[in-house]
Amino acid sequence: MESFKVVRPEFLNHYGYLFGGFLLKWVDEIAWIAASRDHPGCRFVTIAMDRVEFHRSVKQGAVLRFDAIESCRGNTSISYSVHVFADDLTTGNEEPIFTTCITFVRVDEQGRKIPLAQPGP
């Protein structure tokens, strides 16, 4: 799944660059949307995010592109690789700024883990 976000003033830290917490929130949300769209009817919660390392700072006005791709599937869990790129609309250049793997587990209404695929009748 591909998604985009504009870095607006309210997303900046006290140095004038994108606050990392917003990026982590967007990565989690976009990966959850991808998992939910790929597996309709499943209730997912985040259980892990791999390495958190910001490769470049991002200025106001940059357009971020998020790519979320299913990377691993277990019995009750599913992982998505998320790559984030910053587009400079002035130059047309795109630079990688962040990559991680996020893992979700499928839960029932009581929050208990359940298998991804339900057995047929």
Side-chain angles (χ1 to χ4, degrees), residues 1-3 5-6 33 55 67 83 92 109 111 113 116:
M1 183 180 107
E2 187 175 62
S3 187
K5 191 83 176 164
V6 176
I33 291 169
H55 304 296
D67 283 328
H83 301 270
E109 291 179 4
K113 292 181 185 181
L116 286 173

Side-chain angles (χ1 to χ4, degrees), residues 59-91:
K59 293 182 179 181
Q60 177 182 330
V63 174
L64 302 182
R65 180 172 64 86
F66 298 80
D67 283 328
I69 302 163
E70 184 178 323
S71 58
C72 185
R73 185 186 306 212
N75 182 44
T76 61
S77 65
I78 192 159
S79 297
Y80 277 74
S81 178
V82 182
H83 301 270
V84 185
F85 304 88
D87 291 336
D88 182 330
L89 296 179
T90 305
T91 65

Side-chain angles (χ1 to χ4, degrees), residues 5 32 44 52 57-58 70 78-79 103 116 119:
K5 191 83 176 164
W32 176 85
F44 289 111
V52 173
S57 56
V58 179
E70 184 178 323
I78 192 159
S79 297
T103 303
L116 286 173

Side-chain angles (χ1 to χ4, degrees), residues 43 45 105-114:
R43 177 189 308 253
V45 294
V105 67
R106 183 179 183 199
V107 296
D108 63 17
E109 291 179 4
Q110 287 74 43
R112 295 181 300 244
K113 292 181 185 181
I114 58 174

Side-chain angles (χ1 to χ4, degrees), residues 85-101:
F85 304 88
D87 291 336
D88 182 330
L89 296 179
T90 305
T91 65
N93 293 333
E94 180 180 77
E95 293 185 276
I97 62 160
F98 185 78
T99 301
T100 193
C101 184

